[in-house]
Amino acid sequence: MTTSIPATPALATRARAVIERVRPEVDGGRFPVKRTVGEEVVVEADAFADGHDQLCCLLLHRPLGAPAWAEVPMTLVGNDRWTAGFHVAAPGRHEYSVVAWVDRFLTWRHDIARRQDADDIAAALLVGVELVEAAAGRAAGSAAGELKAWAAELRAAATPEAGRAMGQSASLAVLMATHGERLFVTEYGRVLEVVVDIERGRFSSWYELFPRSAGASEAIHGKFTDVIERLPTIAAMGFDVLYLPPIHPIGREFRKGPNNTLAAGATDPGSPWAIGAAEGGHRDIHPELGSAEDFRRLVGRARELGLDVALDIAFQCAPDHPYVKQHPEWFRHRPDGSIQYAENPPKKYQDIYPFDFESEDWQALWQELKGVVDHWIGEGVRIFRVDNPHTKPFPFWEWLIGAVKAEHPETVFLAEAFTRPKIMHRLAKLGFTQSYTYFTWRNTKTDLTEYLTELSRHDSREYFRPNLWPNTPDILPEFLQYGGRPAFLLRVALAATLGASYGIYGPAYELMEHEPRDPGGEEYLDSEKYQLRQWNLDRPDSLSGYITRINQIRRDNPALQSDWSLRFHDVDNPLMLCYSKAAGDDILVMVANLDPHNVQAGWIDLPLDQLSVPGDAPYQAHDLLSGARFLWQGERNFVRLDPQVSPIHILRLRRRLRSERDFDYFL
Amino acid sequence: MTTSIPATPALATRARAVIERVRPEVDGGRFPVKRTVGEEVVVEADAFADGHDQLCCLLLHRPLGAPAWAEVPMTLVGNDRWTAGFHVAAPGRHEYSVVAWVDRFLTWRHDIARRQDADDIAAALLVGVELVEAAAGRAAGSAAGELKAWAAELRAAATPEAGRAMGQSASLAVLMATHGERLFVTEYGRVLEVVVDIERGRFSSWYELFPRSAGASEAIHGKFTDVIERLPTIAAMGFDVLYLPPIHPIGREFRKGPNNTLAAGATDPGSPWAIGAAEGGHRDIHPELGSAEDFRRLVGRARELGLDVALDIAFQCAPDHPYVKQHPEWFRHRPDGSIQYAENPPKKYQDIYPFDFESEDWQALWQELKGVVDHWIGEGVRIFRVDNPHTKPFPFWEWLIGAVKAEHPETVFLAEAFTRPKIMHRLAKLGFTQSYTYFTWRNTKTDLTEYLTELSRHDSREYFRPNLWPNTPDILPEFLQYGGRPAFLLRVALAATLGASYGIYGPAYELMEHEPRDPGGEEYLDSEKYQLRQWNLDRPDSLSGYITRINQIRRDNPALQSDWSLRFHDVDNPLMLCYSKAAGDDILVMVANLDPHNVQAGWIDLPLDQLSVPGDAPYQAHDLLSGARFLWQGERNFVRLDPQVSPIHILRLRRRLRSERDFDYFL
């Protein structure tokens, strides 16, 4: 029986090369990988063909929408694995793929070199002549002439061996790489994408504050103008993102009182996440904070100081949000006509209605919510912290972020999803630039090592960019409740050196706020979520100087500006953590005492060869925090840390030490 | 700016469930997985949705082409991972996929159970009533009535709490699983395939012999009729596949002489892989072997004895193959008009022309070669050993095997590709039922453990089915050259117990043929590839009895009939190897002495809990090879093996031991 040869290119073809396992690739190309401007995308692929013929393998790449592919020859690294790379230059989407084919000229060149008898070489030489002549026919200009000359020379070779030697010429190979025939080319079959973000997508230092508490006293509602006055201080601390909780009118119905009580007093400000009231909704500004003009001035002044103002995107409504009356179809009504407030029984959020994304009018809802983001982009915002994205449908976020970034590739979206791992990963895959993490609850050596290794080394790093927070307005971790000042010193230093992106909720952090509302709970006592607070920023024990120093170290050291180089190293003390980050010559080794109560000491063990530090000469470990300089030699060195003084060393390894050779007398 | 909501279902949808990482899946669904008739396909998937709603997740499956999907509810195993399975009943292709949705009834049922105050429960109860009423409207027959009754009862519940309790009813849940609305269903997006093979695809014992040597003396060319006479002996040894090297006319041009010499004498038979001569080509039979009728009798008699006759598919031609004249376009001509013989310089196969798969007439070539396979299927053959598939294009094999198996799903193709790992894997992915392996060269404890763990445990086991050969006509490994009788005893036992499929090239194996043609080489001296041999099958030292015993053990013990249960266990002697295989109650532990020269002994360490053997009572280890029974207790037991007696124990663990409780007196 004759079976027809199907038209499917994959199945019926003379293309003999196979391309498999192209990396990076997320879920078979379903999602893009992420890079920031200037970074390299190193691409690998398995490529091979039947038989013994030689392959040519090319990486193709281009900015999305560009008419032509740029080609980069891939290099065989062994075991049929090829590699090449390209740099991404501008925010937006970039695409790449791989092609390969059995190359007749490369095969001929390789093959003739192994032939042994003259007749055989002579017969093979003619094959090469034909290939070069055919290339000459395809080429134009000077290349055509050069190739013709090569063909003539090969044909006129004095001996077969002489012709064979000519055939190995590198300049002939260059000509043939351009003009040789690409016959039966195999395409990988998928075009993969990179989302290119601004540098802040990879390296950012966030400071969160409640503008409501920036007033002159606890009785006076803080305003944008107060925040503007504080901007130089925040910038001087070295932060580059100032993140504000929602700035919109706050609902009055079911408004929460201090400490999340159900009955708010007449002057209680309510939770800023209960968005919407008579004064307006998600595009409006809470009148007590100021005007739209004030907000624009805040954004502008911040930009002058190198700070991005990041807004909170919380897609939910107070019961008196204008949407509730204007678009009742966007909320799910129960049979009794009521709208169910947000809840995860038995937890209740009586002051918040969720949107019903299963609404018949869902497309208008999607458009409206995108309009909210567009509005704030119009007001100068490009960084958004998205509240609870895991309680809204995944397809919505993929569409929203995709659509916004298509118009504004410079935007950054941080997913505040403290939820199950696969949900957090999905959100990262479908477009969130950065993600909150479990770092907030990772305190022990084992936990930190395992989790940060996962974040920095596993394939998921291609799409999941961690942003490490030691605290948030919702989370005062037990470690900070009980660890005293050393705990605060430690956790911010860990966040800032383990993660290229990190953030703190201040001034609660630098002022070491550590009283929980309920014993065993993680809510702050007298949380700013429900009331105004007055912070004494001038307190002598403030950590602001320490944090300033850490942020300065981050700015000075490229090693701390990306995550992928993180490696953990042995310390013979389970309460001490040692890890390194490197970028070129910038090699940092961090050694931390995880015990906030006791002095700890131990021997650390550094793989000097991996760190490119010669093992046979002394080297200097310069603590960038304290200024101390230690003289070390070899892989094992002793470290002692008093948490009351400093629970961490941030050591820059300096290979060059002065010796007698530097002394005048010696010259 | 308003961005249109794209039509792509993945991007713009109210489907809130996400399905990811469905397993098994090969290369994103590009290739099918493999099973044999009666086996289960256990499918896993990540599935989750936004928020706190409850998911329903179904596995769909059907034989390829069946009109409707069978549905199997998937069970949550933790961390958003779901599982379910199905059995495959017949050879052919079967397909499967996963769907999921946020189920309103399940969500309601889960949610109302956690509500605390009566008003709240009462309001929620009405939601349930509406869902049940809607289902009643969709249902027909008795289900409609039952659902209506449920709705009425829920509505009339004496108290909200009583209604809530009713809502948790299991029988209501069953009704709602069938008739509840499936709203906004997420499909995985890929339909995955299983190739279902006959049992021999998974469990087979191959015996290879050269019919040319079955004659009465070394001077008489063996015939199919001679092989027919030997069939009962081969079947009695326990083999189920008799594999014959090519049986076609052998070329005369450039025919090879004994030991691969270039000048063949007038009576030298040549290599059977140099296919084609005046007498015919790939569809014809070498006249000295007999007629087509003889071949059919051989196949028929073998079948009566439970043996499949497997043929060699070697797609290449002797220079005097009829194709060379009839289809010159199927061969690549050099500029001097000659056809290049097969070679991998400096290796030369002067008696063989390869096909040019880049030929302009490639489609006719593909059809012709498929015709060859179809021809032999017509002659009763269903198992093929394919010679050097890695020197023919991958798309050709995918098409050929796919097309043949679409018509004859009972066919089995064994890939004889001793080549680079990724090429071997690609061939397995694209359709080969079984694959030769590197087992032939794996002799040490480390090598065997690593390689067999890869074969039996890694994801590649979904498509790569190993067939382990201790020798082939091309490969006499050094271990057999120097290890004496113990080496032959050991290697066949390892192959037969490490692999559910294995084979030997006999009678060279059972007669311990061990002289290489060249020192340091792996070619047999006086190889049957180039000359007739006379084998004395009655030699008293023949291993045939030992091999018979091993094959009997394989037939008696399901544990040895599949590969996936293989586990290696500790032995405190680097020259000893311990591993187990299990299938239900059939638990086998193999302990081998890898040193053919010395007695070795050691303590083995068995994870009794994994093997389902109670650790607190003695158990019996019954050596199925020698009949010896050892009384063991606990995880560590002592084993000593004299390679001259037997280099391996094949121990069946027997949990039940007679004790005083079995003795009459005790009753």
Side-chain angles (χ1 to χ4, degrees), chain B residues 3 49 63 76 108 110 122 127 193 201 223 229 250 267 302 334 345 358 366 399 426 460 496 506 555 561 595 643 657:
Chain B
T3 301
L76 183 61
W108 170 80
H110 179 255
V127 175
E193 285 195 333
K223 297 182 189 316
E229 279 176 33
I250 294 169
T267 60
R334 302 207 283 189
E358 293 183 350
W366 284 26
W399 170 80
R426 180 77 180 192
S460 59
R555 291 189 177 210
Q561 296 170 11
D595 175 0
L657 282 180

Side-chain angles (χ1 to χ4, degrees), chain A residues 1-6 9-21 27-28 30-31 46-53 78-81 102 104 111 114-117 119-120 123-124 126-127 130 183-184 190 332 334-336 338 340-341 343-346 348 356-364 366-367 370 374 389-396 398-399 403-404 407 420-423 425-426 429, chain B residues 1-6 9-21 27-28 30-31 46-53 78-81 102 104 111 114-117 119-120 123-124 126-127 130 183-184 190 332 334-336 338 340-341 343-346 348 356-364 366-367 370 374 389-396 398-399 403-404 407 420-423 425-426 429:
Chain A
M1 186 192 297
T2 294
T3 300
S4 67
I5 295 178
L11 272 177
T13 169
R14 281 184 286 177
R16 294 164 52 202
V18 166
I19 303 169
E20 291 189 326
R21 219 163 57 90
D27 291 6
R30 167 72 178 80
F31 298 103
D46 290 345
F48 48 85
D50 62 279
H52 311 289
D53 292 350
N79 193 19
D80 294 311
R81 194 90 179 136
V102 169
R104 291 199 171 173
D111 169 283
R114 294 187 299 163
R115 294 193 177 271
Q116 289 165 332
D117 69 80
D119 282 358
D120 202 28
L126 290 177
V127 175
E130 287 191 354
L183 209 55
F184 313 132
R190 289 197 279 275
R332 186 177 297 181
R334 302 207 282 190
D336 67 0
S338 66
Q340 177 62 61
Y341 50 76
E343 56 175 354
N344 181 16
K348 297 176 178 186
D356 176 16
F357 283 89
E358 292 183 350
S359 162
E360 290 299 318
D361 196 39
W362 60 287
Q363 288 165 308
W366 285 26
Q367 292 290 1
K370 176 170 180 291
D374 287 338
H390 56 293
T391 60
K392 288 94 195 169
F394 299 99
F396 166 68
E398 186 168 17
W399 170 79
V404 169
E407 295 158 8
R420 311 196 306 273
K422 287 170 186 174
I423 294 179
H425 277 251
R426 181 76 180 192
K429 285 181 198 173
Chain B
M1 188 192 294
T2 295
T3 301
S4 67
I5 294 178
L11 271 178
T13 169
R14 281 184 287 177
R16 294 165 51 202
V18 166
I19 303 169
E20 291 189 326
R21 219 165 55 93
D27 291 6
R30 168 71 178 81
F31 298 104
D46 289 344
F48 48 85
D50 61 279
H52 311 290
D53 293 349
N79 192 20
D80 294 311
R81 194 90 180 137
V102 170
R104 290 199 173 175
D111 168 281
R114 295 186 299 162
R115 293 193 179 271
Q116 289 166 333
D117 70 79
D119 283 358
D120 201 28
L126 291 177
V127 175
E130 287 191 354
L183 209 55
F184 314 132
R190 289 197 279 274
R332 184 176 298 180
R334 302 207 283 189
D336 66 0
S338 66
Q340 177 62 61
Y341 49 75
E343 57 175 352
N344 181 15
K348 297 176 179 189
D356 177 15
F357 283 88
E358 293 183 350
S359 162
E360 289 299 317
D361 196 39
W362 60 286
Q363 287 165 308
W366 284 26
Q367 292 291 1
K370 175 168 181 293
D374 287 338
H390 56 292
T391 59
K392 289 93 194 169
F394 298 99
F396 166 68
E398 185 168 19
W399 170 80
V404 169
E407 296 158 7
R420 311 197 302 275
K422 287 170 186 172
I423 294 179
H425 277 252
R426 180 77 180 192
K429 285 181 198 173

